[in-house]
Amino acid sequence: MNALTVTHLAKAFGGVKAVADVSFALRKGEFLALIGPNGAGKTTCFNMLSGHLKPDSGSVKLGDTELVGLSPRKIWRLGVGRTFQITETFVSMTVRENVQMALISHNRRTLSFATRATRLYREEAAALLARVDMASQAERPAAELAYGDLKRLELAIALAHAPTVLLMDEPTAGMAPSERLALMALVSSIVREEGVSVLFTEHDMDVVFTHADRILVLNRGTLIAEGSGPEIRANPLVQEVYLGGGSVFSAGHADA
Amino acid sequence: MSFYFAQLLTGLANASSLFLIASGLSIIFGVTRVVNFAHGSLYMLGAYLSYTLITTLDLGILGFWGSVVAAAAIVAVIGGAIEVLVLRRIYRSPELFQLVATFGVVLIVQDVALAIWGPADMLGPRAPGLSRAVRIFGEPIPQYDLALIVIGPLVLGLILLLFNRTRWGILVRAATEDRAMVGALGVNQRFLFTSAFMVGSFLAGLGGALQVPRESVSLLMDMSIIGEAFVVVVIGGMGSVTGAFAAAIIISVANAFGVLVFPQISMVLPFLVMAVVLVVRPYGLFGTAASAHGGATVPEAPLRPLSKVGIVVATALFAFLLAAPAQDDTFILVLLTDVLIAMLFAASLHFLMGIGGMVSFGHAAYFGLGAYAAAIAVRDLGLPMLPAMVFGPVMAALGALVFGWFCVRLSGVYLAMLTLAAAQILWGVTFQWQWLTGGDDGILGIWPARWASGNATFYYLALAICGGALVLIRQLAHSPFGFVLRGGRDSPVRAEAIGIDLRAHQWLGFTIAGAFAGVAGVVFVFSKGSVFPETLAIGHSIDGLIMVLLGGVQALAGPLVGAAAFVLIEDWVTRLEYWRFIFGAIILVIVLVAPDGIAGGLGRLWRLVRPARAAA
């Protein structure tokens, strides 16, 4: 059973086909990586899946529900979460309040006028923060957080509405190598326990080959390969795309 | 036919003068991102200086044009001084601070001009050699108008030449596109900013100087032009000189023909055009999204419930207000009522801009709407006081609902400008709609019901209404709805990504803020017994902004402290001669010394002197 089914997705900007006829499926509970060189169309793809960009043609189905044409908000309500390449948090709130906001929205309490926002869903927020190892920082202002912790906070926010699908755009961008693997280990342990299906883009091949169940390779707007880590490594097309990138795939990681 | 052609020429001549001042404003905004309210003052100074030079030198054609250019040059130097002394220190402050600081400059220049040139209007001489009218298709056209029609495009050409052919001009354009990048490339920003400000000031001075043969020089010139100049800059796209030129022509020509159909439209038309343009093209005709970015703001600290000290202070303050009528001093009760009204007005504005991040330059519109609606309800519908006090805020909320629908589609400076336009439109309507609003004469004789007419009784009523509303606003700020507004201010992307329909919430927030301003308006009208168009005017909106900024944007108590300080300072200062100068200076000192407002400044002082915490 597929969590997300993408068929013939296409988007052109002016004369440039950023994404041309992309089809793939995200299986239930799968950790799927979307990789490709800069400008391959990864973020464009992501933005079409999350409703931030309207595709020229094609379809995106969540189970049986067509997502194309829905607003990002509607797509979120249907259970598709998203994290951003550059973190977006509410800087004038504490870490816990950030998570509470997601819970308040999920429970449709944004039009409450009489209660105190900070008293709503405290336990749920605390549990989510504990889940991403941020419990000790719950009362800190989000503005003070280190970058790696902001990423964790975003993860907690993304889990607040119990998503069935999580779209993670460059989840480890801007982090130190040791932090990257730790964050992705955390992500993969959480999503496997919760049964969330994850599609993520990533530049760090260590992260991709360590964690992804399956890998999609995008180049110039089309999918050129699809398969497990070893299959992708062995694929001559992929090696060609990552010019001289042969070393990336073989040398240091043959034993990975 | 010939008549319409003459009308077109008049429109084009007006467009030229409007373009001169707007182009300078646009250049200054593009480079420094400062919304320069003092630009109208520079224009006025240009007119006064050129009047003095022309009349004292009296050297014929050469003397006239020499005086015009000399006046503009002097204004450029004055502008440079303002930039170095005031603006340079606050480029990193939120845009509102800059606006209020430049408004302080407006007040100071007002009184300086009054001291030098006196209060009387001065009619300048005609331009030598251009003093007659020529007949075109049989219609008389002033020669001077024809000269202006040439001067406008000429100046545009010179500016474009400067922008495209000189290193300085290229830097100015680059700074307009991306200020951070220009800084990163090692450009001397100080020099660039000062010089851009001086060029902008020169253009404002030139615009003013060229007006001398056309209209009498007066102390009202600054505020009469600034609204229209803003409109032109916004329609053209902030930072775009070509846009300013196109917009000046659109506005002036539309006005020239508009007055034929509906003579009173000139007050409202520019703002109507701006509202339409902004709804269709949110960044103006020639503007880009980059032009909307204001200065960076410091992240606010998370909201906390009232601390123990806060509770003690609030209780003490409330006890003081309750005990006030014991003094049996009418003056004090009237003053305190004014303070309460100002507090509610400022708090409602703060709810919109501090909590919601929607900066409004026209919040007085809803205050005035509430006041007028209540007054009309009493006079025409015969409503008693209490129902009228409900009717007023409801109408204010309706007005905010209508204008808010347009406003929340924009952000930053453009949102501020659209709120300004909305307020100007309402002000114009109030002014013109004689039979309903009484026009300039206002509505008189709206007094409290008999049971509430005693000084102390009405004071307690005002205290109950304003105090209750203030508590409600505080409650809202802490509610999930208030948090949504703050979240939307922090990160619209994040708000949408957690499924929040931000625009709908902001629209509701705008409406609620309007309703609370309307509540302040109804208390106002019954306490004064009358209401005039000034309650909706730009000046009153700016009063509100000053109150919020005096107190500090980043604290819920800020607007309360600021409003109280504003009313008390105003009450004291306006009894003095040259009170504008003093008031302007006070504003500047506060902006420069305590950029986080009185509440923030006191907070910092408190942290400096408070007893050190026991070691943990």
Side-chain angles (χ1 to χ4, degrees):
Chain A
M1 183 63 187
N2 293 331
L4 207 62
T5 316
V6 176
T7 39
H8 303 303
L9 205 60
K11 178 78 189 177
F13 295 108
V16 183
K17 283 188 176 171
V19 171
D21 196 22
V22 164
S23 302
F24 66 88
L26 171 66
R27 295 170 196 154
K28 274 231 163 104
E30 184 181 40
F31 216 54
L32 179 64
L34 178 66
I35 66 170
N38 285 328
K42 302 184 297 278
T43 299
T44 305
C45 245
F46 252 68
N47 285 340
M48 289 192 284
L49 301 187
S50 62
H52 286 89
L53 202 60
K54 200 178 175 337
D56 295 336
S57 59
S59 133
V60 178
K61 282 199 162 162
L62 177 74
D64 296 323
T65 315
E66 178 62 57
L67 298 186
V68 168
L70 299 183
S71 68
R73 283 197 306 277
K74 290 248 170 61
I75 293 176
W76 183 85
R77 294 253 174 237
L78 290 169
V80 180
R82 164 154 196 190
T83 66
F84 294 90
Q85 199 167 343
I86 300 164
T87 55
E88 291 280 354
T89 54
F90 300 136
V91 288
S92 70
M93 298 181 196
T94 64
V95 168
R96 184 169 45 73
E97 286 164 4
N98 265 275
V99 181
Q100 283 175 299
M101 283 307 293
L103 290 162
I104 284 169
S105 173
H106 176 53
N107 292 292
R108 297 182 183 274
R109 294 288 299 273
T110 59
L111 290 179
S112 300
F113 301 99
T115 45
R116 265 183 198 278
T118 50
R119 288 190 188 145
L120 292 174
Y121 312 111
R122 284 183 84 97
E123 287 76 29
E124 290 92 329
L128 283 164
L129 286 172
R131 200 74 194 74
V132 297
D133 298 336
M134 288 282 289
S136 62
Q137 311 207 48
E139 301 308 323
R140 288 183 69 189
E144 288 177 1
L145 289 188
Y147 195 68
D149 290 337
L150 275 178
K151 289 278 188 186
R152 285 166 194 272
L153 171 56
E154 279 216 316
L155 184 59
I157 293 172
L159 294 171
H161 73 315
T164 53
V165 170
L166 196 52
L167 305 171
M168 305 184 80
D169 195 4
E170 302 261 355
T172 69
M175 297 175 79
S178 57
E179 274 187 305
R180 293 184 181 186
L181 287 171
L183 179 75
M184 287 312 279
L186 175 69
V187 173
S188 78
S189 81
I190 291 172
V191 298
R192 280 176 215 287
E193 278 171 36
E194 317 272 335
V196 185
S197 320
V198 177
L199 175 69
F200 70 106
T201 66
E202 185 55 64
H203 269 118
D204 186 331
M205 290 306 145
D206 259 357
V207 169
V208 172
F209 287 116
T210 312
H211 292 290
D213 298 324
R214 221 154 44 94
I215 300 169
L216 305 168
V217 186
L218 198 63
N219 186 41
R220 299 187 181 206
T222 48
L223 281 181
I224 56 167
E226 183 176 348
S228 66
E231 285 165 11
I232 293 296
R233 268 193 203 120
N235 189 316
L237 253 178
V238 177
Q239 292 183 359
E240 199 184 306
V241 165
Y242 279 87
L243 277 177
S247 62
V248 174
F249 294 106
S250 50
H253 307 291
D255 55 344
Chain B
M1 194 58 226
S2 57
F3 171 71
Y4 292 110
F5 188 70
Q7 207 60 22
L8 175 71
L9 289 180
T10 310
L12 289 177
N14 289 339
S16 275
S17 13
L18 195 51
F19 162 69
L20 286 179
I21 176 165
S23 63
L25 191 59
S26 199
I27 291 173
I28 289 174
F29 177 82
V31 175
T32 65
R33 292 287 188 270
V34 169
V35 178
N36 181 23
F37 241 95
H39 208 67
S41 306
L42 297 169
Y43 165 85
M44 182 175 78
L45 282 178
Y48 270 113
L49 286 167
S50 123
Y51 172 87
T52 303
L53 288 173
I54 294 169
T55 48
T56 48
L57 295 178
D58 198 15
L59 291 174
I61 296 182
L62 215 63
F64 174 82
W65 295 103
S67 301
V68 165
V69 174
I74 299 172
V75 172
V77 173
I78 296 172
I82 293 173
E83 199 273 348
V84 170
L85 292 175
V86 180
L87 292 175
R88 177 174 288 179
R89 291 154 211 281
I90 51 169
Y91 282 133
R92 283 168 202 285
S93 311
E95 52 213 19
L96 265 175
F97 265 92
Q98 302 162 348
L99 175 97
V100 167
T102 58
F103 191 71
V105 174
V106 169
L107 294 174
I108 291 174
V109 171
Q110 275 262 332
D111 268 358
V112 170
L114 175 66
I116 298 178
W117 287 284
D121 291 9
M122 295 186 292
L123 195 58
R126 298 268 178 92
L130 295 169
S131 56
R132 277 195 293 273
V134 289
R135 295 225 163 243
I136 297 181
F137 298 131
E139 292 284 332
I141 309 287
Q143 288 172 325
Y144 191 72
D145 276 12
L146 296 177
L148 280 183
I149 293 175
V150 176
I151 290 172
L154 195 72
V155 170
L156 173 66
L158 286 175
I159 296 173
L160 290 181
L161 214 59
L162 194 66
F163 272 17
N164 290 311
R165 292 298 161 83
T166 65
R167 184 181 140 77
W168 180 84
I170 288 166
L171 287 178
V172 165
R173 283 194 297 143
T176 304
E177 285 287 315
D178 189 339
R179 187 161 56 159
M181 191 64 202
V182 172
L185 292 175
V187 172
N188 182 347
Q189 292 214 35
R190 285 195 149 196
F191 170 74
L192 188 64
F193 281 31
T194 310
S195 58
F197 205 90
M198 288 180 75
V199 169
S201 306
F202 181 87
L203 289 167
L206 189 63
L210 286 171
Q211 279 307 94
V212 171
R214 300 185 86 209
E215 63 172 303
S216 56
V217 183
S218 79
L219 289 169
L220 297 174
M221 286 178 84
D222 54 352
M223 290 317 273
S224 68
I225 194 78
I226 193 68
E228 218 160 306
F230 273 136
V231 166
V232 168
V233 170
V234 170
I235 291 178
M238 302 196 92
S240 166
V241 176
T242 318
F245 187 72
I249 290 184
I250 293 173
I251 290 289
S252 301
V253 172
N255 237 339
F257 289 105
V259 292
L260 299 179
V261 188
F262 186 53
Q264 282 97 18
I265 201 166
S266 61
M267 287 175 123
V268 173
L269 185 85
F271 295 95
L272 275 178
V273 175
M274 172 161 103
V276 171
V277 168
L278 280 187
V279 168
V280 180
R281 283 190 63 93
Y283 303 111
L285 296 175
F286 291 78
T288 57
S291 60
H293 292 301
T297 47
V298 189
E300 200 178 285
L303 272 187
R304 300 259 177 256
L306 217 50
S307 65
K308 274 188 192 134
V309 178
I311 292 171
V312 171
V313 171
T315 317
L317 187 71
F318 188 65
F320 165 76
L321 289 174
L322 271 185
Q327 290 284 325
D328 198 26
D329 181 335
T330 310
F331 170 75
I332 288 190
L333 287 188
V334 169
L335 190 65
L336 284 180
T337 309
D338 285 352
V339 168
L340 287 169
I341 293 167
M343 278 180 170
L344 179 53
F345 179 49
S348 72
L349 177 59
H350 178 263
F351 180 74
L352 188 63
M353 61 184 245
I355 303 287
M358 295 175 276
V359 174
S360 170
F361 287 2
H363 200 54
Y366 311 104
F367 180 93
L369 213 50
Y372 267 101
I376 290 167
V378 169
R379 189 194 61 189
D380 294 345
L381 305 179
L383 285 191
M385 181 181 76
L386 286 182
M389 280 184 156
V390 176
F391 182 72
V394 168
M395 293 312 282
L398 274 179
L401 192 75
V402 172
F403 287 114
W405 188 85
F406 296 103
C407 291
V408 299
R409 258 138 249 276
L410 304 174
S411 60
V413 182
Y414 289 93
L415 164 69
M417 288 297 158
L418 195 56
T419 55
L420 178 76
Q424 280 301 94
I425 290 169
L426 277 176
W427 174 77
V429 169
T430 318
F431 208 84
Q432 306 284 357
W433 207 353
Q434 291 264 355
W435 67 265
L436 185 68
T437 63
D440 207 10
D441 301 330
I443 299 175
L444 306 172
I446 309 299
W447 296 108
R450 190 168 299 149
W451 62 267
S453 59
N455 275 328
T457 321
F458 188 79
Y459 168 77
Y460 278 126
L461 184 67
L463 180 61
I465 294 175
C466 295
L470 288 171
V471 170
L472 276 181
I473 289 178
R474 193 179 169 86
Q475 182 97 11
L476 270 180
H478 282 280
S479 77
F481 178 73
F483 268 56
V484 166
L485 289 184
R486 290 202 313 135
R489 176 200 64 194
D490 285 355
S491 169
V493 178
R494 171 48 69 200
E496 291 282 336
I498 56 170
I500 291 170
D501 185 348
L502 184 58
R503 200 176 271 177
H505 286 78
Q506 285 179 331
W507 188 21
L508 182 59
F510 197 98
T511 308
I512 290 174
F516 277 116
V519 173
V522 295
V523 178
F524 170 84
V525 72
F526 283 105
S527 82
K528 300 291 170 206
S530 56
V531 59
F532 300 97
E534 288 84 74
T535 50
L536 295 96
I538 295 183
H540 192 219
S541 292
I542 293 183
D543 286 352
L545 291 171
I546 293 175
M547 291 176 206
V548 172
L549 293 184
L550 277 184
V553 182
Q554 301 214 339
L556 290 181
L560 308 188
V561 177
F566 181 91
V567 173
L568 296 177
I569 293 174
E570 194 187 39
D571 177 69
W572 165 63
V573 162
T574 45
R575 300 175 201 173
L576 310 171
E577 205 184 352
Y578 297 121
W579 65 271
R580 288 188 190 84
F581 186 94
I582 300 169
F583 202 51
I586 292 174
I587 290 173
L588 284 187
V589 166
I590 288 178
V591 166
L592 295 178
V593 174
D596 40 1
I598 296 175
L602 286 180
R604 267 186 296 137
L605 203 64
W606 166 244
R607 280 192 291 281
L608 277 180
V609 300
R610 75 177 170 192
R613 279 188 196 153

